[in-house]
Structure formats: structure tokens, C-alpha cells
Amino acid sequence: MTFSHDTEQALGTLVRLVNTMPGPNSQVDSLDTLEELEKFVQEREFSAVDTLTDKDLAEVRDLRPLFAPVFTTDSDASAATMINAIIARGTSTPRLTNHDGHPWHIHYSRAGASMACRITVECGIALAQVISAGERERLRRCEAPDCDDALIDLSRNRSKRYCDARTCGNRLHVAAYRERRKASGE
């Protein structure tokens, strides 16, 4: 299943947002300051962003625990209930746009909406598209034993197991290799 560029962008934003929360293996909150929010907004390429405030920071931070359970639920019905509740928090006003060199696409939040509203609606709709396509299993957590980051598996064969192949995946592959060498007496 291939999702549209907009949906993949929103899902990437969602994963990045959820992964800013402190986790079981790291108590670091990487969305703790206004500067970190500004960096997040810039990295995720949000368009037409007004000056961000401490209120924006608080509202965006409050979204994280709402979205996080979607990555661990084991039923479409449960995911749908969570996603519907999330989307209901925002104001949806779908509109077509073709800004910044991107082809025509749909923005689901109204022009001038707060950052939290934009994330709520855009990411909520992207999740709804994943569930309605029967692809909930693409939403999961990293399988590395010392990592609990959220991930979206956009691979063709649904084989992505780690949040980042260069860190979690590589670390586990090297450990397995060393264990095999040790077991063979090398």
C-alpha cells in the first residue's frame, strides 16, 4: 500500500512527535522548550506558521500522550476509537493547496489554525487513512529491547522492525554477529 505524500508526511510528523516523549529507557524530553518546538516545526516543513508561543508548546506537548497508544493497540476498533477522539479535538476545514512547489494536496485544518490543531487534524486524518486501508499493523514500536520509539512501517513487505536501522537495527545485528562468533569459538 502506498500512501500519498501528504499522508506519509503527516505520519512522519506523528512518529517524530510521539518520539519526543520521555520513554522507559530515556527520561529525556526533546520537546521541552519553545526552541525545540520551532526546530520540530521547521524539520517537519510546516507551511505558513505564525510566531509560536509557550501556549503552542503546551498544547503540542499535550497531544503526545493522546497519539502514543495508537502505536500499541491491537485492534482496529480500539485504534478507530482513539483516532476519532483525537480528530474531534481539532477543527477540520479541508482545502486544496499547492504551496512550496508541492502538487495539489489537501490540508485538513483551517488556515490560521494553531499548531496543535494542525497536528491534531492532519495526523489524525493520516491515521484514519491507515486504519481505513486495513494497514494498522504498520503502526508499531521499535523491536530493539532497549528502545520503545514509535515507527510507521512504509516498506512494501511490512518488514521494518526498528525505528532506525543505523542505530537500533545495526546495534542488534552487531551484537548477534559477536554472539555467533563467540559461540563458534572464534
Side-chain angles (χ1 to χ4, degrees), residues 52-120:
L52 296 168
T53 66
D54 287 330
K55 180 181 179 193
D56 291 310
L57 176 62
E59 290 174 349
V60 170
R61 287 172 50 87
D62 288 347
L63 295 176
R64 301 179 303 176
L66 300 175
F67 280 113
V70 175
F71 290 91
T72 56
T73 188
D74 60 357
S75 84
D76 289 354
S78 176
T81 299
M82 286 184 253
I83 294 164
N84 286 337
I86 290 167
I87 293 170
R89 293 174 55 104
T91 303
S92 181
T93 308
R95 60 191 164 88
L96 283 168
T97 183
N98 66 342
H99 61 86
D100 299 329
H102 294 291
W104 287 104
H105 59 282
I106 302 170
H107 281 198
Y108 293 96
S109 56
R110 68 190 179 338
S114 71
M115 184 54 56
C117 181
R118 290 175 67 178
I119 291 171
T120 298

Short mmCIF file of all heavy atoms in Angstrom, two decimals, residues 52-120:
data_model
loop_
_atom_site.label_atom_id
_atom_site.label_comp_id
_atom_site.label_asym_id
_atom_site.label_seq_id
_atom_site.Cartn_x
_atom_site.Cartn_y
_atom_site.Cartn_z
N LEU A 52 5.36 31.11 17.12
CA LEU A 52 4.95 30.12 18.11
C LEU A 52 5.11 30.69 19.51
O LEU A 52 6.01 31.49 19.77
CB LEU A 52 5.78 28.85 17.95
CG LEU A 52 5.60 28.13 16.62
CD1 LEU A 52 6.66 27.06 16.43
CD2 LEU A 52 4.21 27.53 16.53
N THR A 53 4.23 30.26 20.40
CA THR A 53 4.22 30.77 21.77
C THR A 53 4.34 29.62 22.76
O THR A 53 4.26 28.44 22.39
CB THR A 53 2.90 31.52 22.05
OG1 THR A 53 1.82 30.56 22.01
CG2 THR A 53 2.67 32.63 21.03
N ASP A 54 4.48 29.99 24.03
CA ASP A 54 4.50 28.97 25.08
C ASP A 54 3.18 28.20 25.12
O ASP A 54 3.16 27.01 25.46
CB ASP A 54 4.77 29.61 26.45
CG ASP A 54 6.22 30.06 26.59
OD1 ASP A 54 7.11 29.44 25.97
OD2 ASP A 54 6.47 31.03 27.33
N LYS A 55 2.08 28.85 24.75
CA LYS A 55 0.79 28.17 24.68
C LYS A 55 0.84 27.08 23.60
O LYS A 55 0.35 25.97 23.82
CB LYS A 55 -0.33 29.17 24.38
CG LYS A 55 -1.70 28.53 24.30
CD LYS A 55 -2.78 29.54 23.98
CE LYS A 55 -4.12 28.82 23.88
NZ LYS A 55 -5.15 29.64 23.31
N ASP A 56 1.43 27.39 22.45
CA ASP A 56 1.59 26.39 21.39
C ASP A 56 2.39 25.20 21.90
O ASP A 56 2.03 24.04 21.66
CB ASP A 56 2.29 26.98 20.16
CG ASP A 56 1.45 27.99 19.42
OD1 ASP A 56 0.28 27.68 19.11
OD2 ASP A 56 1.97 29.09 19.14
N LEU A 57 3.48 25.49 22.60
CA LEU A 57 4.32 24.42 23.14
C LEU A 57 3.52 23.52 24.07
O LEU A 57 3.54 22.29 23.94
CB LEU A 57 5.53 25.01 23.87
CG LEU A 57 6.45 24.01 24.55
CD1 LEU A 57 7.08 23.04 23.54
CD2 LEU A 57 7.54 24.74 25.35
N ALA A 58 2.78 24.10 24.99
CA ALA A 58 1.99 23.31 25.94
C ALA A 58 0.94 22.47 25.21
O ALA A 58 0.74 21.29 25.53
CB ALA A 58 1.33 24.23 26.96
N GLU A 59 0.25 23.07 24.25
CA GLU A 59 -0.80 22.35 23.52
C GLU A 59 -0.23 21.20 22.70
O GLU A 59 -0.81 20.10 22.66
CB GLU A 59 -1.57 23.31 22.62
CG GLU A 59 -2.44 24.28 23.36
CD GLU A 59 -3.08 25.33 22.45
OE1 GLU A 59 -2.72 25.44 21.26
OE2 GLU A 59 -3.98 26.03 22.96
N VAL A 60 0.90 21.41 22.04
CA VAL A 60 1.51 20.34 21.24
C VAL A 60 2.02 19.23 22.15
O VAL A 60 1.83 18.05 21.86
CB VAL A 60 2.63 20.90 20.33
CG1 VAL A 60 3.42 19.77 19.67
CG2 VAL A 60 2.04 21.83 19.26
N ARG A 61 2.64 19.59 23.25
CA ARG A 61 3.10 18.58 24.21
C ARG A 61 1.93 17.73 24.72
O ARG A 61 2.07 16.53 24.91
CB ARG A 61 3.83 19.24 25.37
CG ARG A 61 5.21 19.78 25.01
CD ARG A 61 5.81 20.61 26.14
NE ARG A 61 5.77 19.94 27.42
CZ ARG A 61 6.70 19.09 27.89
NH1 ARG A 61 7.75 18.83 27.15
NH2 ARG A 61 6.58 18.53 29.06
N ASP A 62 0.78 18.36 24.93
CA ASP A 62 -0.40 17.64 25.43
C ASP A 62 -0.95 16.63 24.42
O ASP A 62 -1.71 15.73 24.80
CB ASP A 62 -1.51 18.63 25.81
CG ASP A 62 -1.19 19.40 27.08
OD1 ASP A 62 -0.25 19.03 27.82
OD2 ASP A 62 -1.89 20.40 27.34
N LEU A 63 -0.58 16.76 23.16
CA LEU A 63 -1.06 15.81 22.14
C LEU A 63 -0.34 14.47 22.20
O LEU A 63 -0.90 13.44 21.83
CB LEU A 63 -0.86 16.40 20.73
CG LEU A 63 -1.65 17.63 20.39
CD1 LEU A 63 -1.26 18.13 18.99
CD2 LEU A 63 -3.15 17.34 20.45
N ARG A 64 0.89 14.48 22.65
CA ARG A 64 1.71 13.26 22.60
C ARG A 64 1.08 12.06 23.29
O ARG A 64 1.01 10.99 22.69
CB ARG A 64 3.11 13.56 23.14
CG ARG A 64 3.81 14.65 22.35
CD ARG A 64 5.18 14.99 22.88
NE ARG A 64 5.14 15.39 24.26
CZ ARG A 64 6.22 15.66 24.99
NH1 ARG A 64 7.43 15.57 24.44
NH2 ARG A 64 6.12 16.02 26.24
N PRO A 65 0.60 12.18 24.53
CA PRO A 65 0.00 11.00 25.16
C PRO A 65 -1.32 10.57 24.53
O PRO A 65 -1.78 9.45 24.76
CB PRO A 65 -0.18 11.41 26.63
CG PRO A 65 -0.03 12.88 26.67
CD PRO A 65 0.73 13.31 25.46
N LEU A 66 -1.94 11.43 23.74
CA LEU A 66 -3.16 11.03 23.03
C LEU A 66 -2.82 10.14 21.84
O LEU A 66 -3.53 9.17 21.55
CB LEU A 66 -3.92 12.27 22.55
CG LEU A 66 -4.39 13.24 23.61
CD1 LEU A 66 -5.03 14.47 22.97
CD2 LEU A 66 -5.36 12.56 24.56
N PHE A 67 -1.75 10.49 21.13
CA PHE A 67 -1.37 9.74 19.94
C PHE A 67 -0.58 8.46 20.26
O PHE A 67 -0.68 7.48 19.53
CB PHE A 67 -0.50 10.61 19.02
CG PHE A 67 -1.28 11.58 18.16
CD1 PHE A 67 -1.18 12.94 18.36
CD2 PHE A 67 -2.10 11.12 17.14
CE1 PHE A 67 -1.87 13.84 17.55
CE2 PHE A 67 -2.80 12.00 16.33
CZ PHE A 67 -2.69 13.37 16.54
N ALA A 68 0.21 8.47 21.31
CA ALA A 68 1.12 7.35 21.60
C ALA A 68 0.45 5.98 21.65
O ALA A 68 0.98 5.01 21.10
CB ALA A 68 1.90 7.63 22.89
N PRO A 69 -0.72 5.82 22.29
CA PRO A 69 -1.32 4.48 22.39
C PRO A 69 -1.73 3.88 21.04
O PRO A 69 -1.91 2.66 20.94
CB PRO A 69 -2.55 4.68 23.27
CG PRO A 69 -2.36 5.98 23.95
CD PRO A 69 -1.47 6.80 23.07
N VAL A 70 -1.87 4.69 20.02
CA VAL A 70 -2.26 4.16 18.71
C VAL A 70 -1.19 3.19 18.19
O VAL A 70 -1.49 2.26 17.46
CB VAL A 70 -2.49 5.32 17.70
CG1 VAL A 70 -2.77 4.80 16.31
CG2 VAL A 70 -3.63 6.21 18.19
N PHE A 71 0.05 3.37 18.63
CA PHE A 71 1.15 2.53 18.16
C PHE A 71 1.24 1.20 18.89
O PHE A 71 2.04 0.34 18.52
CB PHE A 71 2.49 3.27 18.29
CG PHE A 71 2.60 4.40 17.31
CD1 PHE A 71 2.18 5.68 17.65
CD2 PHE A 71 3.10 4.19 16.04
CE1 PHE A 71 2.25 6.73 16.74
CE2 PHE A 71 3.17 5.22 15.12
CZ PHE A 71 2.75 6.49 15.48
N THR A 72 0.43 1.00 19.91
CA THR A 72 0.47 -0.26 20.65
C THR A 72 -0.87 -0.97 20.72
O THR A 72 -0.93 -2.08 21.24
CB THR A 72 0.98 -0.02 22.10
OG1 THR A 72 0.16 0.96 22.73
CG2 THR A 72 2.43 0.44 22.09
N THR A 73 -1.92 -0.37 20.21
CA THR A 73 -3.22 -1.03 20.26
C THR A 73 -3.22 -2.26 19.35
O THR A 73 -2.49 -2.31 18.36
CB THR A 73 -4.36 -0.07 19.87
OG1 THR A 73 -5.60 -0.72 20.13
CG2 THR A 73 -4.28 0.34 18.42
N ASP A 74 -4.02 -3.24 19.70
CA ASP A 74 -4.03 -4.47 18.92
C ASP A 74 -5.35 -4.71 18.19
O ASP A 74 -5.62 -5.82 17.75
CB ASP A 74 -3.69 -5.67 19.80
CG ASP A 74 -4.67 -5.86 20.94
OD1 ASP A 74 -5.59 -5.03 21.08
OD2 ASP A 74 -4.52 -6.84 21.68
N SER A 75 -6.14 -3.64 18.04
CA SER A 75 -7.37 -3.82 17.27
C SER A 75 -7.71 -2.56 16.50
O SER A 75 -7.43 -1.44 16.95
CB SER A 75 -8.55 -4.20 18.19
OG SER A 75 -9.13 -3.07 18.77
N ASP A 76 -8.30 -2.75 15.33
CA ASP A 76 -8.72 -1.62 14.52
C ASP A 76 -9.79 -0.81 15.24
O ASP A 76 -9.79 0.42 15.17
CB ASP A 76 -9.27 -2.10 13.16
CG ASP A 76 -8.18 -2.63 12.25
OD1 ASP A 76 -6.99 -2.54 12.59
OD2 ASP A 76 -8.54 -3.14 11.17
N ALA A 77 -10.70 -1.50 15.93
CA ALA A 77 -11.78 -0.80 16.63
C ALA A 77 -11.22 0.11 17.71
O ALA A 77 -11.66 1.25 17.86
CB ALA A 77 -12.76 -1.81 17.22
N SER A 78 -10.27 -0.38 18.47
CA SER A 78 -9.65 0.43 19.51
C SER A 78 -8.91 1.62 18.90
O SER A 78 -9.01 2.75 19.39
CB SER A 78 -8.68 -0.44 20.33
OG SER A 78 -8.00 0.34 21.27
N ALA A 79 -8.17 1.37 17.83
CA ALA A 79 -7.46 2.46 17.14
C ALA A 79 -8.45 3.48 16.62
O ALA A 79 -8.24 4.69 16.76
CB ALA A 79 -6.61 1.89 16.00
N ALA A 80 -9.53 3.02 16.02
CA ALA A 80 -10.54 3.94 15.47
C ALA A 80 -11.15 4.81 16.57
O ALA A 80 -11.35 6.02 16.36
CB ALA A 80 -11.62 3.15 14.74
N THR A 81 -11.43 4.23 17.71
CA THR A 81 -11.98 4.99 18.83
C THR A 81 -11.02 6.09 19.25
O THR A 81 -11.41 7.25 19.45
CB THR A 81 -12.30 4.06 20.02
OG1 THR A 81 -13.28 3.11 19.59
CG2 THR A 81 -12.81 4.84 21.22
N MET A 82 -9.74 5.74 19.39
CA MET A 82 -8.73 6.74 19.78
C MET A 82 -8.60 7.83 18.72
O MET A 82 -8.56 9.02 19.06
CB MET A 82 -7.37 6.06 19.96
CG MET A 82 -7.23 5.25 21.21
SD MET A 82 -5.55 4.61 21.37
CE MET A 82 -5.84 2.90 21.00
N ILE A 83 -8.53 7.42 17.47
CA ILE A 83 -8.33 8.38 16.38
C ILE A 83 -9.54 9.31 16.24
O ILE A 83 -9.38 10.52 16.07
CB ILE A 83 -8.03 7.64 15.06
CG1 ILE A 83 -6.68 6.93 15.18
CG2 ILE A 83 -8.05 8.59 13.87
CD1 ILE A 83 -6.44 5.87 14.11
N ASN A 84 -10.74 8.77 16.35
CA ASN A 84 -11.94 9.62 16.28
C ASN A 84 -11.94 10.66 17.40
O ASN A 84 -12.31 11.81 17.18
CB ASN A 84 -13.21 8.77 16.32
CG ASN A 84 -13.46 8.06 15.02
OD1 ASN A 84 -12.98 8.46 13.96
ND2 ASN A 84 -14.19 6.96 15.09
N ALA A 85 -11.53 10.26 18.59
CA ALA A 85 -11.48 11.20 19.72
C ALA A 85 -10.42 12.28 19.47
O ALA A 85 -10.64 13.45 19.80
CB ALA A 85 -11.18 10.46 21.02
N ILE A 86 -9.31 11.89 18.87
CA ILE A 86 -8.25 12.86 18.56
C ILE A 86 -8.74 13.86 17.52
O ILE A 86 -8.62 15.08 17.71
CB ILE A 86 -6.97 12.14 18.07
CG1 ILE A 86 -6.32 11.38 19.22
CG2 ILE A 86 -6.00 13.13 17.45
CD1 ILE A 86 -5.25 10.39 18.79
N ILE A 87 -9.30 13.37 16.44
CA ILE A 87 -9.76 14.25 15.36
C ILE A 87 -10.84 15.20 15.86
O ILE A 87 -10.88 16.37 15.47
CB ILE A 87 -10.25 13.43 14.15
CG1 ILE A 87 -9.08 12.68 13.50
CG2 ILE A 87 -10.92 14.33 13.12
CD1 ILE A 87 -9.49 11.66 12.45
N ALA A 88 -11.69 14.73 16.75
CA ALA A 88 -12.77 15.57 17.27
C ALA A 88 -12.25 16.76 18.06
O ALA A 88 -12.95 17.76 18.21
CB ALA A 88 -13.70 14.73 18.15
N ARG A 89 -11.02 16.69 18.53
CA ARG A 89 -10.42 17.81 19.27
C ARG A 89 -10.07 18.98 18.37
O ARG A 89 -9.89 20.10 18.84
CB ARG A 89 -9.14 17.35 19.98
CG ARG A 89 -9.35 16.36 21.09
CD ARG A 89 -8.02 15.86 21.61
NE ARG A 89 -7.14 16.93 22.03
CZ ARG A 89 -6.89 17.25 23.29
NH1 ARG A 89 -7.47 16.59 24.26
NH2 ARG A 89 -6.06 18.23 23.58
N GLY A 90 -9.91 18.73 17.08
CA GLY A 90 -9.49 19.78 16.15
C GLY A 90 -10.66 20.33 15.35
O GLY A 90 -11.78 19.85 15.45
N THR A 91 -10.36 21.34 14.58
CA THR A 91 -11.35 21.93 13.68
C THR A 91 -10.92 21.60 12.26
O THR A 91 -9.89 22.07 11.80
CB THR A 91 -11.42 23.46 13.86
OG1 THR A 91 -11.71 23.73 15.23
CG2 THR A 91 -12.48 24.06 12.98
N SER A 92 -11.70 20.79 11.60
CA SER A 92 -11.36 20.36 10.25
C SER A 92 -12.09 21.21 9.22
O SER A 92 -13.31 21.36 9.27
CB SER A 92 -11.73 18.88 10.06
OG SER A 92 -11.37 18.47 8.77
N THR A 93 -11.32 21.77 8.31
CA THR A 93 -11.86 22.54 7.20
C THR A 93 -11.02 22.17 5.98
O THR A 93 -10.06 22.88 5.64
CB THR A 93 -11.78 24.05 7.47
OG1 THR A 93 -12.36 24.33 8.74
CG2 THR A 93 -12.48 24.85 6.39
N PRO A 94 -11.30 21.05 5.34
CA PRO A 94 -10.47 20.61 4.22
C PRO A 94 -10.40 21.66 3.11
O PRO A 94 -11.39 22.32 2.81
CB PRO A 94 -11.18 19.35 3.73
CG PRO A 94 -11.97 18.88 4.89
CD PRO A 94 -12.39 20.12 5.62
N ARG A 95 -9.19 21.80 2.57
CA ARG A 95 -9.00 22.74 1.46
C ARG A 95 -7.85 22.26 0.59
O ARG A 95 -6.89 21.66 1.08
CB ARG A 95 -8.74 24.14 1.98
CG ARG A 95 -7.51 24.25 2.85
CD ARG A 95 -7.44 25.59 3.56
NE ARG A 95 -6.49 25.53 4.65
CZ ARG A 95 -5.19 25.79 4.53
NH1 ARG A 95 -4.68 26.13 3.38
NH2 ARG A 95 -4.40 25.70 5.57
N LEU A 96 -7.96 22.51 -0.69
CA LEU A 96 -6.89 22.16 -1.64
C LEU A 96 -5.84 23.26 -1.66
O LEU A 96 -6.19 24.45 -1.63
CB LEU A 96 -7.46 21.97 -3.04
CG LEU A 96 -8.18 20.66 -3.29
CD1 LEU A 96 -8.95 20.72 -4.59
CD2 LEU A 96 -7.20 19.52 -3.29
N THR A 97 -4.58 22.87 -1.75
CA THR A 97 -3.49 23.83 -1.82
C THR A 97 -2.33 23.24 -2.61
O THR A 97 -2.22 22.02 -2.73
CB THR A 97 -3.03 24.26 -0.40
OG1 THR A 97 -2.02 25.25 -0.51
CG2 THR A 97 -2.54 23.08 0.41
N ASN A 98 -1.49 24.09 -3.16
CA ASN A 98 -0.30 23.63 -3.89
C ASN A 98 0.90 24.51 -3.56
O ASN A 98 1.61 24.96 -4.44
CB ASN A 98 -0.56 23.58 -5.40
CG ASN A 98 -0.77 24.95 -5.99
OD1 ASN A 98 -1.05 25.91 -5.28
ND2 ASN A 98 -0.65 25.06 -7.30
N HIS A 99 1.16 24.70 -2.30
CA HIS A 99 2.22 25.58 -1.83
C HIS A 99 3.62 24.97 -1.94
O HIS A 99 3.77 23.76 -2.04
CB HIS A 99 1.95 25.99 -0.38
CG HIS A 99 1.92 24.81 0.54
ND1 HIS A 99 3.06 24.28 1.10
CD2 HIS A 99 0.90 24.04 0.96
CE1 HIS A 99 2.74 23.24 1.84
NE2 HIS A 99 1.42 23.08 1.77
N ASP A 100 4.62 25.81 -1.89
CA ASP A 100 6.03 25.42 -1.78
C ASP A 100 6.47 24.39 -2.82
O ASP A 100 7.29 23.52 -2.55
CB ASP A 100 6.33 24.88 -0.37
CG ASP A 100 6.08 25.91 0.71
OD1 ASP A 100 6.26 27.11 0.42
OD2 ASP A 100 5.71 25.52 1.84
N GLY A 101 5.92 24.47 -4.02
CA GLY A 101 6.33 23.57 -5.09
C GLY A 101 5.73 22.17 -5.02
O GLY A 101 6.05 21.32 -5.84
N HIS A 102 4.87 21.91 -4.07
CA HIS A 102 4.21 20.61 -3.97
C HIS A 102 2.98 20.61 -4.89
O HIS A 102 2.33 21.64 -5.07
CB HIS A 102 3.77 20.31 -2.54
CG HIS A 102 4.92 20.15 -1.59
ND1 HIS A 102 5.78 19.08 -1.65
CD2 HIS A 102 5.35 20.94 -0.58
CE1 HIS A 102 6.69 19.20 -0.71
NE2 HIS A 102 6.46 20.32 -0.05
N PRO A 103 2.63 19.47 -5.46
CA PRO A 103 1.41 19.42 -6.28
C PRO A 103 0.17 19.62 -5.41
O PRO A 103 0.26 19.66 -4.19
CB PRO A 103 1.46 18.00 -6.88
CG PRO A 103 2.32 17.22 -5.96
CD PRO A 103 3.30 18.18 -5.35
N TRP A 104 -0.98 19.71 -6.04
CA TRP A 104 -2.22 19.89 -5.31
C TRP A 104 -2.38 18.79 -4.27
O TRP A 104 -2.15 17.61 -4.55
CB TRP A 104 -3.41 19.88 -6.27
CG TRP A 104 -3.49 21.13 -7.07
CD1 TRP A 104 -3.14 21.28 -8.38
CD2 TRP A 104 -3.92 22.41 -6.62
NE1 TRP A 104 -3.31 22.58 -8.77
CE2 TRP A 104 -3.80 23.30 -7.71
CE3 TRP A 104 -4.38 22.90 -5.41
CZ2 TRP A 104 -4.14 24.64 -7.62
CZ3 TRP A 104 -4.72 24.23 -5.31
CH2 TRP A 104 -4.60 25.09 -6.41
N HIS A 105 -2.74 19.19 -3.08
CA HIS A 105 -2.98 18.26 -1.99
C HIS A 105 -3.98 18.88 -1.03
O HIS A 105 -4.33 20.06 -1.15
CB HIS A 105 -1.67 17.88 -1.29
CG HIS A 105 -0.93 19.04 -0.71
ND1 HIS A 105 -0.16 19.91 -1.47
CD2 HIS A 105 -0.85 19.49 0.57
CE1 HIS A 105 0.37 20.83 -0.69
NE2 HIS A 105 -0.04 20.61 0.55
N ILE A 106 -4.43 18.10 -0.08
CA ILE A 106 -5.45 18.55 0.86
C ILE A 106 -4.83 18.87 2.21
O ILE A 106 -4.09 18.05 2.76
CB ILE A 106 -6.55 17.48 1.05
CG1 ILE A 106 -7.20 17.14 -0.28
CG2 ILE A 106 -7.60 17.96 2.06
CD1 ILE A 106 -8.12 15.93 -0.22
N HIS A 107 -5.13 20.04 2.72
CA HIS A 107 -4.87 20.36 4.12
C HIS A 107 -6.21 20.24 4.82
O HIS A 107 -7.22 20.72 4.34
CB HIS A 107 -4.33 21.78 4.28
CG HIS A 107 -2.88 21.91 3.97
ND1 HIS A 107 -2.13 22.98 4.38
CD2 HIS A 107 -2.04 21.11 3.30
CE1 HIS A 107 -0.89 22.84 3.97
NE2 HIS A 107 -0.82 21.72 3.29
N TYR A 108 -6.21 19.57 5.96
CA TYR A 108 -7.46 19.31 6.65
C TYR A 108 -7.78 20.34 7.73
O TYR A 108 -8.89 20.37 8.22
CB TYR A 108 -7.45 17.91 7.25
CG TYR A 108 -7.45 16.85 6.18
CD1 TYR A 108 -6.27 16.26 5.74
CD2 TYR A 108 -8.63 16.46 5.57
CE1 TYR A 108 -6.28 15.32 4.74
CE2 TYR A 108 -8.65 15.52 4.57
CZ TYR A 108 -7.46 14.95 4.15
OH TYR A 108 -7.47 14.02 3.15
N SER A 109 -6.81 21.14 8.10
CA SER A 109 -7.09 22.16 9.12
C SER A 109 -7.27 23.52 8.45
O SER A 109 -6.77 23.76 7.36
CB SER A 109 -5.95 22.21 10.14
OG SER A 109 -4.72 22.45 9.50
N ARG A 110 -8.01 24.37 9.09
CA ARG A 110 -8.31 25.68 8.53
C ARG A 110 -7.07 26.56 8.51
O ARG A 110 -6.17 26.38 9.32
CB ARG A 110 -9.45 26.33 9.29
CG ARG A 110 -9.11 26.73 10.71
CD ARG A 110 -10.32 27.15 11.50
NE ARG A 110 -10.21 27.53 12.86
CZ ARG A 110 -9.28 27.26 13.75
NH1 ARG A 110 -8.25 26.59 13.43
NH2 ARG A 110 -9.37 27.67 14.99
N ALA A 111 -7.04 27.51 7.61
CA ALA A 111 -5.94 28.47 7.56
C ALA A 111 -5.90 29.23 8.87
O ALA A 111 -6.94 29.60 9.42
CB ALA A 111 -6.15 29.43 6.39
N GLY A 112 -4.73 29.43 9.41
CA GLY A 112 -4.58 30.16 10.66
C GLY A 112 -4.82 29.34 11.91
O GLY A 112 -4.80 29.88 13.01
N ALA A 113 -5.03 28.03 11.76
CA ALA A 113 -5.26 27.18 12.93
C ALA A 113 -3.99 27.11 13.78
O ALA A 113 -2.88 27.27 13.27
CB ALA A 113 -5.66 25.77 12.49
N SER A 114 -4.15 26.85 15.05
CA SER A 114 -2.99 26.71 15.94
C SER A 114 -2.17 25.50 15.51
O SER A 114 -2.66 24.60 14.82
CB SER A 114 -3.46 26.53 17.39
OG SER A 114 -4.04 25.24 17.55
N MET A 115 -0.93 25.47 15.95
CA MET A 115 -0.06 24.33 15.62
C MET A 115 -0.65 23.04 16.15
O MET A 115 -0.65 22.02 15.47
CB MET A 115 1.34 24.57 16.17
CG MET A 115 2.34 23.49 15.78
SD MET A 115 2.48 23.15 14.00
CE MET A 115 2.88 24.75 13.35
N ALA A 116 -1.19 23.06 17.35
CA ALA A 116 -1.78 21.85 17.93
C ALA A 116 -2.98 21.39 17.11
O ALA A 116 -3.14 20.19 16.87
CB ALA A 116 -2.19 22.10 19.38
N CYS A 117 -3.82 22.31 16.67
CA CYS A 117 -4.97 21.95 15.84
C CYS A 117 -4.49 21.35 14.52
O CYS A 117 -5.03 20.35 14.07
CB CYS A 117 -5.85 23.17 15.59
SG CYS A 117 -7.31 22.80 14.60
N ARG A 118 -3.49 21.96 13.92
CA ARG A 118 -2.97 21.44 12.65
C ARG A 118 -2.44 20.02 12.81
O ARG A 118 -2.74 19.14 12.00
CB ARG A 118 -1.88 22.37 12.12
CG ARG A 118 -2.43 23.69 11.65
CD ARG A 118 -1.37 24.66 11.25
NE ARG A 118 -0.67 24.20 10.04
CZ ARG A 118 0.30 24.90 9.46
NH1 ARG A 118 0.68 26.06 9.95
NH2 ARG A 118 0.87 24.44 8.37
N ILE A 119 -1.66 19.79 13.86
CA ILE A 119 -1.11 18.45 14.10
C ILE A 119 -2.24 17.48 14.40
O ILE A 119 -2.27 16.36 13.86
CB ILE A 119 -0.08 18.49 15.25
CG1 ILE A 119 1.16 19.25 14.79
CG2 ILE A 119 0.28 17.07 15.70
CD1 ILE A 119 2.16 19.55 15.90
N THR A 120 -3.19 17.88 15.24
CA THR A 120 -4.31 17.02 15.61
C THR A 120 -5.06 16.54 14.37
O THR A 120 -5.28 15.35 14.18
CB THR A 120 -5.28 17.77 16.55
OG1 THR A 120 -4.59 18.11 17.74
CG2 THR A 120 -6.50 16.94 16.87
#
